[in-house]
Amino acid sequence: PWLRHLHQHPELELLYTDALFEDQSFFRSALRHPFILPTRMEVLRFNHWSTKAGTPSAGAGPLRGVKRPQYIESDLVLARLGRLPNVRALVIVADPAAQAEREYLKNVGRCRVWNATFRAPALGSCIGRGCMPRCTLSSDGTGPEAGPAFALEVEDYRMAGRIREVLDVLGHGGRSRLFLADRSELRLGHAFYGRAAGFAGARRPWPLGAAVATSNKASGAPSATPSIRATILRHGGRRAASAHDDGMTRLQALLHTERLELRKLFEMLRAAEDWPQWLTDGDG
Protein backbone atom coordinates (compact mmCIF):
# COMPACT_ATOMS: atom_id res chain seq x y z
CA PRO A 1 0.00 0.00 0.00
CA TRP A 2 1.10 3.49 -0.93
CA LEU A 3 1.63 4.98 2.54
CA ARG A 4 4.40 2.55 3.42
CA HIS A 5 6.59 4.15 0.78
CA LEU A 6 6.83 7.32 2.88
CA HIS A 7 9.10 5.27 5.16
CA GLN A 8 11.79 5.54 2.47
CA HIS A 9 12.23 9.25 3.11
CA PRO A 10 15.21 9.70 5.48
CA GLU A 11 13.29 12.11 7.71
CA LEU A 12 10.19 9.94 8.12
CA GLU A 13 9.64 6.73 10.05
CA LEU A 14 6.54 4.63 9.57
CA LEU A 15 6.10 2.25 12.48
CA TYR A 16 5.38 -1.09 10.91
CA THR A 17 6.98 -4.38 9.99
CA ASP A 18 5.79 -6.86 7.39
CA ALA A 19 4.96 -9.31 10.17
CA LEU A 20 3.60 -7.00 12.86
CA PHE A 21 2.13 -3.55 13.22
CA GLU A 22 3.66 -2.44 16.50
CA ASP A 23 1.17 0.39 16.89
CA GLN A 24 -1.54 -2.25 17.28
CA SER A 25 -0.76 -2.57 20.99
CA PHE A 26 -0.95 1.18 21.54
CA PHE A 27 -3.47 3.14 19.48
CA ARG A 28 -5.52 0.28 18.08
CA SER A 29 -5.96 -1.34 21.48
CA ALA A 30 -8.91 1.04 21.77
CA LEU A 31 -10.70 -1.02 19.15
CA ARG A 32 -10.45 -4.16 21.27
CA HIS A 33 -10.57 -2.61 24.75
CA PRO A 34 -12.18 0.82 24.37
CA PHE A 35 -12.16 1.78 28.04
CA ILE A 36 -8.68 0.52 28.95
CA LEU A 37 -5.64 2.68 28.30
CA PRO A 38 -2.36 1.03 27.27
CA THR A 39 -0.16 -0.14 30.11
CA ARG A 40 2.97 1.78 31.05
CA MET A 41 5.04 -1.03 29.55
CA GLU A 42 3.16 -0.76 26.24
CA VAL A 43 3.72 3.00 26.17
CA LEU A 44 7.45 2.62 26.87
CA ARG A 45 7.79 -0.11 24.25
CA PHE A 46 5.98 2.01 21.66
CA ASN A 47 8.04 5.11 22.42
CA HIS A 48 11.35 3.23 22.16
CA TRP A 49 10.49 0.96 19.26
CA SER A 50 12.13 1.93 15.99
CA THR A 51 12.19 0.52 12.49
CA LYS A 52 14.87 2.90 11.26
CA ALA A 53 18.31 3.71 12.48
CA GLY A 54 18.57 7.20 11.51
CA THR A 55 20.20 10.45 10.99
CA PRO A 56 17.07 12.51 10.73
CA SER A 57 16.51 16.21 10.60
CA ALA A 58 18.15 18.47 13.15
CA GLY A 59 19.30 15.47 15.21
CA ALA A 60 15.82 15.13 16.68
CA GLY A 61 14.99 11.73 15.21
CA PRO A 62 12.69 10.90 12.32
CA LEU A 63 9.15 12.17 12.30
CA ARG A 64 7.12 9.12 13.30
CA GLY A 65 3.83 7.96 11.84
CA VAL A 66 1.47 5.01 11.99
CA LYS A 67 -0.59 3.43 9.25
CA ARG A 68 -3.84 1.61 9.84
CA PRO A 69 -6.96 2.26 7.72
CA GLN A 70 -9.21 1.06 10.54
CA TYR A 71 -8.29 4.10 12.65
CA ILE A 72 -10.75 6.28 10.78
CA GLU A 73 -13.57 3.89 11.73
CA SER A 74 -13.12 4.32 15.50
CA ASP A 75 -14.14 7.45 17.38
CA LEU A 76 -12.00 6.38 20.33
CA VAL A 77 -8.88 5.91 18.25
CA LEU A 78 -9.40 9.27 16.54
CA ALA A 79 -9.86 10.95 19.91
CA ARG A 80 -6.66 9.34 21.19
CA LEU A 81 -4.67 10.40 18.15
CA GLY A 82 -6.19 13.87 18.31
CA ARG A 83 -4.57 14.44 21.70
CA LEU A 84 -1.12 14.35 20.11
CA PRO A 85 0.18 17.89 19.55
CA ASN A 86 0.55 18.90 15.91
CA VAL A 87 -0.57 15.51 14.63
CA ARG A 88 -1.21 15.38 10.88
CA ALA A 89 -3.48 13.03 8.97
CA LEU A 90 -3.06 11.71 5.43
CA VAL A 91 -6.18 10.29 3.78
CA ILE A 92 -6.44 8.89 0.27
CA VAL A 93 -9.85 8.38 -1.33
CA ALA A 94 -11.33 7.16 -4.60
CA ASP A 95 -14.59 7.37 -6.51
CA PRO A 96 -16.80 5.35 -4.12
CA ALA A 97 -18.58 3.45 -6.90
CA ALA A 98 -15.25 2.58 -8.52
CA GLN A 99 -13.92 1.49 -5.13
CA ALA A 100 -16.88 -0.84 -4.64
CA GLU A 101 -16.33 -2.32 -8.09
CA ARG A 102 -12.64 -2.74 -7.27
CA GLU A 103 -13.46 -4.78 -4.16
CA TYR A 104 -15.78 -6.97 -6.22
CA LEU A 105 -13.10 -7.52 -8.88
CA LYS A 106 -10.41 -8.27 -6.30
CA ASN A 107 -12.57 -10.97 -4.74
CA VAL A 108 -13.35 -12.46 -8.16
CA GLY A 109 -9.61 -12.52 -8.93
CA ARG A 110 -8.81 -14.35 -5.70
CA CYS A 111 -11.60 -16.84 -6.32
CA ARG A 112 -10.19 -17.50 -9.81
CA VAL A 113 -6.78 -18.26 -8.32
CA TRP A 114 -8.45 -20.80 -6.04
CA ASN A 115 -10.67 -22.20 -8.81
CA ALA A 116 -9.76 -21.44 -12.44
CA THR A 117 -13.32 -22.27 -13.57
CA PHE A 118 -14.96 -19.90 -11.08
CA ARG A 119 -17.85 -18.02 -12.70
CA ALA A 120 -18.21 -14.48 -11.43
CA PRO A 121 -21.72 -13.39 -10.45
CA ALA A 122 -23.02 -10.15 -11.93
CA LEU A 123 -21.80 -7.04 -10.11
CA GLY A 124 -25.36 -5.92 -9.36
CA SER A 125 -26.20 -9.21 -7.65
CA CYS A 126 -23.58 -8.45 -5.00
CA ILE A 127 -25.05 -5.11 -3.90
CA GLY A 128 -26.44 -5.55 -0.41
CA ARG A 129 -26.41 -9.36 -0.36
CA GLY A 130 -24.02 -12.30 -0.45
CA CYS A 131 -23.29 -13.35 -4.02
CA MET A 132 -20.14 -15.49 -3.94
CA PRO A 133 -17.57 -16.94 -1.53
CA ARG A 134 -15.29 -14.46 0.21
CA CYS A 135 -11.97 -15.68 -1.15
CA THR A 136 -8.56 -15.06 0.35
CA LEU A 137 -4.93 -15.61 -0.55
CA SER A 138 -2.77 -16.74 2.33
CA SER A 139 0.54 -18.43 2.98
CA ASP A 140 -1.13 -21.71 3.88
CA GLY A 141 -3.40 -21.92 0.85
CA THR A 142 -5.94 -20.16 -1.27
CA GLY A 143 -9.65 -20.53 -0.98
CA PRO A 144 -12.93 -19.28 0.41
CA GLU A 145 -13.11 -18.01 3.97
CA ALA A 146 -15.52 -19.40 6.49
CA GLY A 147 -18.28 -17.04 7.47
CA PRO A 148 -20.47 -14.60 5.54
CA ALA A 149 -20.38 -14.58 1.77
CA PHE A 150 -18.95 -11.61 -0.12
CA ALA A 151 -21.34 -8.69 -0.46
CA LEU A 152 -21.04 -5.02 -1.38
CA GLU A 153 -22.49 -3.02 1.49
CA VAL A 154 -22.96 0.57 0.35
CA GLU A 155 -22.27 1.95 3.82
CA ASP A 156 -18.72 0.60 3.64
CA TYR A 157 -17.96 3.12 0.89
CA ARG A 158 -19.17 6.23 2.68
CA MET A 159 -16.02 8.03 3.83
CA ALA A 160 -16.90 11.72 3.76
CA GLY A 161 -18.54 11.73 7.18
CA ARG A 162 -15.55 10.04 8.78
CA ILE A 163 -13.16 12.49 7.13
CA ARG A 164 -15.17 15.35 8.62
CA GLU A 165 -14.78 13.70 12.02
CA VAL A 166 -11.01 13.69 11.47
CA LEU A 167 -11.20 17.43 10.84
CA ASP A 168 -13.16 17.86 14.07
CA VAL A 169 -10.57 15.87 16.02
CA LEU A 170 -7.73 17.94 14.58
CA GLY A 171 -9.50 21.02 15.92
CA HIS A 172 -8.22 24.55 15.30
CA GLY A 173 -6.16 24.61 12.11
CA GLY A 174 -7.43 21.17 11.16
CA ARG A 175 -7.72 22.02 7.48
CA SER A 176 -3.99 22.67 7.29
CA ARG A 177 -3.22 19.36 9.02
CA LEU A 178 -5.27 17.07 6.77
CA PHE A 179 -3.76 15.82 3.51
CA LEU A 180 -6.58 14.67 1.22
CA ALA A 181 -5.67 12.99 -2.05
CA ASP A 182 -7.22 10.79 -4.69
CA ARG A 183 -5.85 7.38 -5.61
CA SER A 184 -5.24 8.57 -9.18
CA GLU A 185 -2.52 10.92 -7.87
CA LEU A 186 -0.28 7.93 -7.15
CA ARG A 187 0.47 7.92 -10.88
CA LEU A 188 2.45 11.13 -10.37
CA GLY A 189 5.14 9.05 -8.67
CA HIS A 190 7.91 11.03 -6.99
CA ALA A 191 6.03 14.32 -7.32
CA PHE A 192 3.12 12.94 -5.28
CA TYR A 193 5.32 11.33 -2.62
CA GLY A 194 7.41 14.46 -2.34
CA ARG A 195 4.29 16.50 -1.67
CA ALA A 196 3.01 13.97 0.88
CA ALA A 197 6.38 13.84 2.64
CA GLY A 198 6.57 17.63 2.75
CA PHE A 199 3.10 17.77 4.28
CA ALA A 200 4.19 15.24 6.92
CA GLY A 201 7.02 17.60 7.87
CA ALA A 202 10.02 16.43 5.84
CA ARG A 203 12.31 19.24 4.74
CA ARG A 204 14.44 17.44 2.19
CA PRO A 205 13.22 16.55 -1.31
CA TRP A 206 11.97 13.06 -2.02
CA PRO A 207 15.01 10.78 -2.64
CA LEU A 208 15.22 10.20 -6.37
CA GLY A 209 16.41 6.59 -6.03
CA ALA A 210 13.47 5.52 -3.88
CA ALA A 211 10.96 3.13 -5.43
CA VAL A 212 7.33 4.23 -5.25
CA ALA A 213 3.96 2.64 -5.87
CA THR A 214 1.88 4.14 -8.64
CA SER A 215 -1.23 2.21 -7.56
CA ASN A 216 -2.68 1.09 -4.26
CA LYS A 217 -2.65 -2.63 -5.06
CA ALA A 218 -3.33 -4.65 -1.94
CA SER A 219 -1.09 -7.52 -0.96
CA GLY A 220 -2.28 -10.83 -2.29
CA ALA A 221 -4.13 -9.36 -5.25
CA PRO A 222 -3.63 -11.80 -8.14
CA SER A 223 -3.61 -9.20 -10.94
CA ALA A 224 -4.70 -5.67 -11.72
CA THR A 225 -8.44 -5.16 -11.47
CA PRO A 226 -8.79 -3.88 -15.08
CA SER A 227 -7.41 -7.22 -16.24
CA ILE A 228 -9.93 -9.10 -14.06
CA ARG A 229 -12.77 -6.95 -15.41
CA ALA A 230 -11.68 -7.61 -19.00
CA THR A 231 -11.63 -11.36 -18.33
CA ILE A 232 -15.17 -11.31 -16.90
CA LEU A 233 -16.52 -9.35 -19.86
CA ARG A 234 -14.63 -11.37 -22.43
CA HIS A 235 -15.94 -14.69 -21.11
CA GLY A 236 -19.49 -13.45 -20.60
CA GLY A 237 -19.98 -11.56 -23.84
CA ARG A 238 -22.48 -8.75 -24.39
CA ARG A 239 -24.85 -9.96 -21.70
CA ALA A 240 -22.09 -9.82 -19.07
CA ALA A 241 -21.02 -6.37 -20.27
CA SER A 242 -24.58 -5.08 -20.07
CA ALA A 243 -25.10 -6.58 -16.60
CA HIS A 244 -21.82 -5.05 -15.39
CA ASP A 245 -22.82 -1.62 -16.70
CA ASP A 246 -26.17 -1.95 -14.94
CA GLY A 247 -24.39 -2.80 -11.70
CA MET A 248 -22.13 0.25 -12.00
CA THR A 249 -25.16 2.46 -12.71
CA ARG A 250 -26.81 1.19 -9.51
CA LEU A 251 -23.66 1.78 -7.46
CA GLN A 252 -23.28 5.30 -8.84
CA ALA A 253 -26.89 6.09 -7.97
CA LEU A 254 -26.60 4.67 -4.46
CA LEU A 255 -23.36 6.53 -3.82
CA HIS A 256 -24.25 9.78 -5.59
CA THR A 257 -24.70 11.67 -2.32
CA GLU A 258 -21.35 10.38 -1.07
CA ARG A 259 -19.66 11.76 -4.18
CA LEU A 260 -21.25 15.14 -3.51
CA GLU A 261 -19.98 15.08 0.09
CA LEU A 262 -16.48 14.20 -1.06
CA ARG A 263 -16.65 17.05 -3.55
CA LYS A 264 -17.44 19.45 -0.70
CA LEU A 265 -14.33 18.24 1.12
CA PHE A 266 -12.17 18.78 -1.95
CA GLU A 267 -13.70 22.25 -2.33
CA MET A 268 -12.64 22.96 1.24
CA LEU A 269 -9.14 21.50 1.05
CA ARG A 270 -7.92 21.54 -2.55
CA ALA A 271 -7.84 23.97 -5.46
CA ALA A 272 -10.31 23.04 -8.21
CA GLU A 273 -7.56 22.36 -10.73
CA ASP A 274 -6.27 19.60 -8.43
CA TRP A 275 -9.55 17.68 -8.20
CA PRO A 276 -9.76 14.13 -9.55
CA GLN A 277 -11.64 13.72 -12.81
CA TRP A 278 -14.49 11.72 -11.27
CA LEU A 279 -15.45 14.76 -9.19
CA THR A 280 -15.73 16.96 -12.26
CA ASP A 281 -17.58 14.52 -14.55
CA GLY A 282 -21.24 15.38 -15.02
CA ASP A 283 -22.67 17.05 -11.94
CA GLY A 284 -20.12 15.47 -9.56
Side-chain angles (χ1 to χ4, degrees), residues 155-191:
E155 290 303 313
D156 293 343
Y157 303 97
R158 299 191 192 279
M159 288 290 295
R162 300 304 296 178
I163 296 171
R164 288 189 180 277
E165 290 183 31
V166 173
L167 281 170
D168 290 343
V169 166
L170 293 175
H172 180 70
R175 294 186 186 185
S176 65
R177 292 193 284 133
L178 174 62
F179 180 93
L180 181 64
D182 180 68
R183 177 180 286 118
S184 63
E185 295 178 64
L186 296 176
R187 300 172 191 154
L188 300 175
H190 284 205

Short mmCIF file of all heavy atoms in Angstrom, two decimals, residues 155-191:
data_model
loop_
_atom_site.label_atom_id
_atom_site.label_comp_id
_atom_site.label_asym_id
_atom_site.label_seq_id
_atom_site.Cartn_x
_atom_site.Cartn_y
_atom_site.Cartn_z
N GLU A 155 -22.76 1.15 2.70
CA GLU A 155 -22.27 1.95 3.82
C GLU A 155 -20.75 1.86 3.98
O GLU A 155 -20.13 2.77 4.53
CB GLU A 155 -22.96 1.53 5.13
CG GLU A 155 -24.42 1.91 5.21
CD GLU A 155 -24.63 3.42 5.04
OE1 GLU A 155 -23.89 4.19 5.70
OE2 GLU A 155 -25.50 3.83 4.27
N ASP A 156 -20.17 0.76 3.52
CA ASP A 156 -18.72 0.60 3.64
C ASP A 156 -17.95 1.59 2.77
O ASP A 156 -16.75 1.76 2.95
CB ASP A 156 -18.31 -0.83 3.24
CG ASP A 156 -18.82 -1.87 4.22
OD1 ASP A 156 -19.19 -1.50 5.35
OD2 ASP A 156 -18.85 -3.07 3.85
N TYR A 157 -18.63 2.22 1.83
CA TYR A 157 -17.96 3.12 0.89
C TYR A 157 -18.33 4.58 1.13
O TYR A 157 -18.08 5.43 0.27
CB TYR A 157 -18.27 2.68 -0.55
CG TYR A 157 -17.86 1.24 -0.75
CD1 TYR A 157 -18.79 0.21 -0.63
CD2 TYR A 157 -16.53 0.91 -0.97
CE1 TYR A 157 -18.41 -1.11 -0.76
CE2 TYR A 157 -16.14 -0.41 -1.09
CZ TYR A 157 -17.08 -1.42 -0.98
OH TYR A 157 -16.69 -2.73 -1.09
N ARG A 158 -18.87 4.85 2.29
CA ARG A 158 -19.17 6.23 2.68
C ARG A 158 -18.06 6.72 3.61
O ARG A 158 -18.00 6.33 4.77
CB ARG A 158 -20.53 6.31 3.37
CG ARG A 158 -21.70 5.85 2.48
CD ARG A 158 -23.02 6.20 3.10
NE ARG A 158 -24.14 5.56 2.44
CZ ARG A 158 -24.71 5.99 1.32
NH1 ARG A 158 -24.24 7.07 0.73
NH2 ARG A 158 -25.73 5.35 0.79
N MET A 159 -17.19 7.56 3.09
CA MET A 159 -16.02 8.03 3.83
C MET A 159 -16.10 9.49 4.23
O MET A 159 -15.41 9.93 5.15
CB MET A 159 -14.76 7.82 2.99
CG MET A 159 -14.34 6.38 2.85
SD MET A 159 -13.71 5.72 4.40
CE MET A 159 -12.24 6.74 4.61
N ALA A 160 -16.91 10.27 3.55
CA ALA A 160 -16.90 11.72 3.76
C ALA A 160 -17.20 12.09 5.21
O ALA A 160 -16.55 12.96 5.79
CB ALA A 160 -17.88 12.40 2.82
N GLY A 161 -18.19 11.42 5.80
CA GLY A 161 -18.54 11.73 7.18
C GLY A 161 -17.40 11.46 8.14
O GLY A 161 -17.15 12.23 9.08
N ARG A 162 -16.68 10.36 7.91
CA ARG A 162 -15.55 10.04 8.78
C ARG A 162 -14.41 11.04 8.59
O ARG A 162 -13.72 11.41 9.56
CB ARG A 162 -15.06 8.62 8.48
CG ARG A 162 -16.08 7.53 8.67
CD ARG A 162 -16.66 7.52 10.08
NE ARG A 162 -15.66 7.22 11.10
CZ ARG A 162 -15.92 7.21 12.41
NH1 ARG A 162 -17.14 7.49 12.85
NH2 ARG A 162 -14.98 6.91 13.29
N ILE A 163 -14.21 11.50 7.37
CA ILE A 163 -13.16 12.49 7.13
C ILE A 163 -13.50 13.79 7.85
O ILE A 163 -12.62 14.46 8.42
CB ILE A 163 -12.96 12.72 5.63
CG1 ILE A 163 -12.45 11.43 4.97
CG2 ILE A 163 -11.98 13.86 5.38
CD1 ILE A 163 -12.42 11.49 3.45
N ARG A 164 -14.77 14.15 7.87
CA ARG A 164 -15.17 15.35 8.62
C ARG A 164 -14.91 15.17 10.11
O ARG A 164 -14.56 16.12 10.82
CB ARG A 164 -16.64 15.67 8.36
CG ARG A 164 -16.89 16.22 6.95
CD ARG A 164 -18.30 16.73 6.78
NE ARG A 164 -18.51 17.24 5.43
CZ ARG A 164 -18.18 18.46 5.03
NH1 ARG A 164 -17.61 19.31 5.89
NH2 ARG A 164 -18.41 18.86 3.79
N GLU A 165 -15.08 13.95 10.61
CA GLU A 165 -14.78 13.70 12.02
C GLU A 165 -13.29 13.85 12.29
O GLU A 165 -12.89 14.31 13.37
CB GLU A 165 -15.27 12.31 12.41
CG GLU A 165 -16.79 12.21 12.44
CD GLU A 165 -17.27 10.84 12.90
OE1 GLU A 165 -16.56 10.21 13.71
OE2 GLU A 165 -18.35 10.42 12.45
N VAL A 166 -12.45 13.46 11.32
CA VAL A 166 -11.01 13.69 11.47
C VAL A 166 -10.73 15.19 11.59
O VAL A 166 -9.95 15.62 12.43
CB VAL A 166 -10.24 13.08 10.28
CG1 VAL A 166 -8.76 13.47 10.34
CG2 VAL A 166 -10.38 11.56 10.27
N LEU A 167 -11.38 15.98 10.76
CA LEU A 167 -11.20 17.43 10.84
C LEU A 167 -11.62 17.95 12.21
O LEU A 167 -10.94 18.81 12.79
CB LEU A 167 -12.03 18.12 9.75
CG LEU A 167 -11.44 18.12 8.33
CD1 LEU A 167 -12.48 18.63 7.34
CD2 LEU A 167 -10.17 18.96 8.27
N ASP A 168 -12.71 17.43 12.75
CA ASP A 168 -13.16 17.86 14.07
C ASP A 168 -12.13 17.51 15.14
O ASP A 168 -11.85 18.30 16.05
CB ASP A 168 -14.50 17.22 14.40
CG ASP A 168 -15.65 17.76 13.57
OD1 ASP A 168 -15.49 18.84 12.98
OD2 ASP A 168 -16.70 17.09 13.49
N VAL A 169 -11.56 16.31 15.04
CA VAL A 169 -10.57 15.87 16.02
C VAL A 169 -9.31 16.73 15.94
O VAL A 169 -8.71 17.07 16.96
CB VAL A 169 -10.23 14.38 15.78
CG1 VAL A 169 -8.97 13.98 16.54
CG2 VAL A 169 -11.39 13.50 16.22
N LEU A 170 -8.92 17.12 14.73
CA LEU A 170 -7.73 17.94 14.58
C LEU A 170 -7.92 19.33 15.17
O LEU A 170 -6.96 20.01 15.52
CB LEU A 170 -7.35 18.05 13.11
CG LEU A 170 -6.87 16.75 12.45
CD1 LEU A 170 -6.65 16.97 10.96
CD2 LEU A 170 -5.61 16.24 13.11
N GLY A 171 -9.18 19.77 15.25
CA GLY A 171 -9.50 21.02 15.92
C GLY A 171 -9.02 22.24 15.16
O GLY A 171 -9.00 22.27 13.92
N HIS A 172 -8.61 23.29 15.90
CA HIS A 172 -8.22 24.55 15.30
C HIS A 172 -7.06 24.31 14.33
O HIS A 172 -6.07 23.68 14.66
CB HIS A 172 -7.79 25.54 16.38
CG HIS A 172 -7.36 26.87 15.83
ND1 HIS A 172 -8.25 27.76 15.26
CD2 HIS A 172 -6.14 27.45 15.74
CE1 HIS A 172 -7.60 28.83 14.86
NE2 HIS A 172 -6.33 28.68 15.14
N GLY A 173 -7.20 24.82 13.12
CA GLY A 173 -6.16 24.61 12.11
C GLY A 173 -6.21 23.25 11.46
O GLY A 173 -5.27 22.85 10.77
N GLY A 174 -7.33 22.53 11.67
CA GLY A 174 -7.43 21.17 11.16
C GLY A 174 -7.29 21.07 9.65
O GLY A 174 -6.74 20.10 9.14
N ARG A 175 -7.79 22.07 8.94
CA ARG A 175 -7.72 22.02 7.48
C ARG A 175 -6.28 21.98 6.99
O ARG A 175 -5.98 21.38 5.96
CB ARG A 175 -8.44 23.22 6.86
CG ARG A 175 -9.94 23.22 7.11
CD ARG A 175 -10.60 24.36 6.35
NE ARG A 175 -12.01 24.47 6.68
CZ ARG A 175 -12.85 25.30 6.08
NH1 ARG A 175 -12.41 26.12 5.13
NH2 ARG A 175 -14.11 25.35 6.43
N SER A 176 -5.39 22.64 7.71
CA SER A 176 -3.99 22.67 7.29
C SER A 176 -3.24 21.41 7.73
O SER A 176 -2.09 21.21 7.34
CB SER A 176 -3.28 23.90 7.87
OG SER A 176 -3.23 23.83 9.29
N ARG A 177 -3.89 20.57 8.52
CA ARG A 177 -3.22 19.36 9.02
C ARG A 177 -3.87 18.08 8.48
O ARG A 177 -3.63 17.01 9.00
CB ARG A 177 -3.22 19.36 10.54
CG ARG A 177 -2.31 20.45 11.11
CD ARG A 177 -2.05 20.29 12.58
NE ARG A 177 -3.20 20.70 13.39
CZ ARG A 177 -3.68 19.98 14.40
NH1 ARG A 177 -3.16 18.82 14.70
NH2 ARG A 177 -4.70 20.44 15.11
N LEU A 178 -4.68 18.23 7.44
CA LEU A 178 -5.27 17.07 6.77
C LEU A 178 -4.85 17.06 5.31
O LEU A 178 -5.11 18.03 4.57
CB LEU A 178 -6.80 17.09 6.87
CG LEU A 178 -7.53 15.99 6.09
CD1 LEU A 178 -7.16 14.61 6.61
CD2 LEU A 178 -9.04 16.19 6.17
N PHE A 179 -4.20 16.01 4.89
CA PHE A 179 -3.76 15.82 3.51
C PHE A 179 -4.78 14.91 2.85
O PHE A 179 -4.89 13.73 3.19
CB PHE A 179 -2.37 15.19 3.51
CG PHE A 179 -1.79 14.94 2.14
CD1 PHE A 179 -0.98 15.88 1.53
CD2 PHE A 179 -2.03 13.74 1.48
CE1 PHE A 179 -0.41 15.64 0.28
CE2 PHE A 179 -1.46 13.49 0.24
CZ PHE A 179 -0.65 14.44 -0.36
N LEU A 180 -5.55 15.45 1.92
CA LEU A 180 -6.58 14.67 1.22
C LEU A 180 -6.16 14.51 -0.23
O LEU A 180 -5.88 15.48 -0.91
CB LEU A 180 -7.93 15.39 1.30
CG LEU A 180 -9.11 14.68 0.62
CD1 LEU A 180 -9.43 13.35 1.30
CD2 LEU A 180 -10.34 15.58 0.63
N ALA A 181 -6.09 13.27 -0.68
CA ALA A 181 -5.67 12.99 -2.05
C ALA A 181 -6.54 11.91 -2.65
O ALA A 181 -7.20 11.15 -1.94
CB ALA A 181 -4.20 12.58 -2.08
N ASP A 182 -6.51 11.83 -3.97
CA ASP A 182 -7.22 10.79 -4.69
C ASP A 182 -6.24 9.73 -5.15
O ASP A 182 -5.07 10.03 -5.43
CB ASP A 182 -7.93 11.40 -5.91
CG ASP A 182 -8.69 10.34 -6.70
OD1 ASP A 182 -9.69 9.82 -6.16
OD2 ASP A 182 -8.28 10.04 -7.83
N ARG A 183 -6.72 8.49 -5.22
CA ARG A 183 -5.85 7.38 -5.61
C ARG A 183 -5.15 7.64 -6.96
O ARG A 183 -4.02 7.22 -7.18
CB ARG A 183 -6.63 6.07 -5.68
CG ARG A 183 -5.78 4.89 -6.14
CD ARG A 183 -6.54 3.60 -6.21
NE ARG A 183 -6.80 3.08 -4.88
CZ ARG A 183 -8.00 2.89 -4.37
NH1 ARG A 183 -9.07 3.18 -5.08
NH2 ARG A 183 -8.16 2.42 -3.16
N SER A 184 -5.83 8.33 -7.87
CA SER A 184 -5.24 8.57 -9.18
C SER A 184 -3.94 9.37 -9.10
O SER A 184 -3.09 9.30 -10.00
CB SER A 184 -6.23 9.32 -10.08
OG SER A 184 -6.53 10.60 -9.54
N GLU A 185 -3.73 10.12 -8.01
CA GLU A 185 -2.52 10.92 -7.87
C GLU A 185 -1.27 10.07 -7.66
O GLU A 185 -0.14 10.56 -7.82
CB GLU A 185 -2.69 11.92 -6.72
CG GLU A 185 -3.76 12.96 -6.98
CD GLU A 185 -3.95 13.91 -5.83
OE1 GLU A 185 -2.99 14.66 -5.52
OE2 GLU A 185 -5.03 13.92 -5.22
N LEU A 186 -1.44 8.81 -7.29
CA LEU A 186 -0.28 7.93 -7.15
C LEU A 186 0.49 7.82 -8.46
O LEU A 186 1.71 7.60 -8.46
CB LEU A 186 -0.74 6.54 -6.72
CG LEU A 186 -1.40 6.43 -5.34
CD1 LEU A 186 -1.88 5.00 -5.10
CD2 LEU A 186 -0.45 6.86 -4.24
N ARG A 187 -0.20 8.02 -9.58
CA ARG A 187 0.47 7.92 -10.88
C ARG A 187 1.52 9.01 -11.07
O ARG A 187 2.37 8.92 -11.95
CB ARG A 187 -0.56 8.03 -12.01
CG ARG A 187 -1.62 6.94 -11.98
CD ARG A 187 -2.71 7.22 -12.99
NE ARG A 187 -3.86 6.34 -12.83
CZ ARG A 187 -5.09 6.65 -13.19
NH1 ARG A 187 -5.34 7.82 -13.76
NH2 ARG A 187 -6.08 5.80 -13.00
N LEU A 188 1.47 10.04 -10.26
CA LEU A 188 2.45 11.13 -10.37
C LEU A 188 3.80 10.72 -9.81
O LEU A 188 4.78 11.46 -9.95
CB LEU A 188 1.94 12.38 -9.65
CG LEU A 188 0.62 12.96 -10.17
CD1 LEU A 188 0.18 14.12 -9.29
CD2 LEU A 188 0.76 13.39 -11.62
N GLY A 189 3.87 9.58 -9.14
CA GLY A 189 5.14 9.05 -8.67
C GLY A 189 5.83 9.95 -7.67
O GLY A 189 5.25 10.38 -6.67
N HIS A 190 7.10 10.28 -7.94
CA HIS A 190 7.91 11.03 -6.99
C HIS A 190 7.30 12.39 -6.64
O HIS A 190 7.45 12.86 -5.52
CB HIS A 190 9.32 11.22 -7.54
CG HIS A 190 10.16 9.98 -7.46
ND1 HIS A 190 11.53 10.01 -7.43
CD2 HIS A 190 9.81 8.67 -7.42
CE1 HIS A 190 11.99 8.77 -7.37
NE2 HIS A 190 10.97 7.94 -7.37
N ALA A 191 6.64 13.01 -7.60
CA ALA A 191 6.03 14.32 -7.32
C ALA A 191 4.97 14.19 -6.23
O ALA A 191 4.89 15.03 -5.33
CB ALA A 191 5.42 14.89 -8.60
#
